[in-house]
Amino acid sequence: DMTSEESFQESNFYSAAPFYNMIYKGINFQGYCHNKDCIAFNKLVNVQLGMCKENNGICIYAEIMFELPCPACKEFIDHERIRNVLFLDCSTRIKLKVYKESKVGEFEINAPSDKFVALKDPEKILKYHYIKFTLL
């Protein structure tokens, strides 16, 4: 279940991560590239949404039902291949709704600058119909 901050954990960086696995300040999504010609084919890649300066420092990313570009080949990773969300050096308010259920969660994540914060059970992200991230 991803309806509270207990669903997330801090993790250390990988010292020899390839460029498509870099984690940047703010929000990052993790998924699999499906382009057979890509060096990251069927590998986990991190797609940076980062931080934005809109709305007086508050940035809202609504719904995860969109496609994100693979950092290696720029081909889109569809939402069904997204497996996790990672946060670095930011505070984020998360509001979500479980697909086909009335269960709603809202909580805040504070990610340090020396570790990233991610879901403990990444595959659970697929069951959410709606997730709204607000950077504080």
Side-chain angles (χ1 to χ4, degrees), residues 13 22-29 46-52 59 61 85-92 94 109-113 115-118 133-136:
F13 292 102
M22 298 298 293
I23 301 170
Y24 296 93
K25 183 176 180 175
I27 300 173
N28 300 263
F29 282 99
N46 296 331
V47 181
Q48 176 192 16
L49 288 183
M51 307 278 288
C52 76
C59 185
Y61 294 104
V85 59
L86 315 172
F87 303 95
L88 176 65
D89 195 13
C90 66
S91 292
T92 307
I94 300 172
I109 296 288
N110 293 301
S113 60
K115 295 182 179 193
F116 66 92
V117 175
F133 302 94
T134 306
L135 292 174
L136 307 174

Side-chain angles (χ1 to χ4, degrees), residues 67-86:
E67 296 176 328
L68 300 164
C70 170
C73 69
K74 306 303 182 211
E75 190 162 311
F76 287 116
I77 301 166
D78 63 58
H79 69 274
E80 293 175 356
R81 291 181 169 266
I82 295 171
R83 290 297 183 264
N84 208 338
V85 59
L86 315 172

